[in-house]
């Protein structure tokens, strides 16, 4: 009954980039929804054309598409990236 999309916001764009770069199991991708776990930064990746408009997304926004990897592995990977950010 749940989807595999998760979004959260970091305090700064720099922290969001650090999280995205710090994961090992989440691959950077603009098109979310495959069987592999993906991570994206919507501000610079998919929503850059609306920067400065009412549709602009927060600079620290991070989106995840959770794939078929073991949940414990994904949580551990994301936890390490968040601790380093």
């Amino acid at each position: 009954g749940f989807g595999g999309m998760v979004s959260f916001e970091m305090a700064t764009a720099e922290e969001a980039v650090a999280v995205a770069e710090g994961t090992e199991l989440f691959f950077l991708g603009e098109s979310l929804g495959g069987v592999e776990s993906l991570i994206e930064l919507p501000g610079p990746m998919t929503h850059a054309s609306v920067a400065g408009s009412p549709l602009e997304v927060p600079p620290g926004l991070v989106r995840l598409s959770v794939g078929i990897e073991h949940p414990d592995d994904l949580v551990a990977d994301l936890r390490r990236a968040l601790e380093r950010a």
Side-chain angles (χ1 to χ4, degrees):
F2 295 97
M5 299 295 294
V6 177
S7 295
F8 59 92
E9 194 172 341
M10 299 299 293
T12 67
E14 293 77 19
E15 288 179 352
V17 169
V19 169
E21 290 177 347
T23 60
E24 295 178 17
L25 299 178
F26 290 89
F27 293 99
L28 192 62
E30 289 186 359
S31 178
L32 304 181
V35 296
E36 68 278 350
S37 292
L38 302 170
I39 191 166
E40 81 157 342
L41 305 170
M45 293 177 66
T46 59
H47 291 71
S49 65
V50 296
S53 80
L55 301 175
E56 181 176 25
V57 298
L61 186 66
V62 178
R63 285 180 41 185
L64 304 175
S65 174
V66 179
I68 61 173
E69 298 88 356
H70 195 281
D72 293 341
D73 295 336
L74 295 173
V75 168
D77 186 38
L78 189 56
R79 180 173 286 130
R80 279 189 302 272
L82 288 166
E83 289 171 353
R84 292 180 196 147

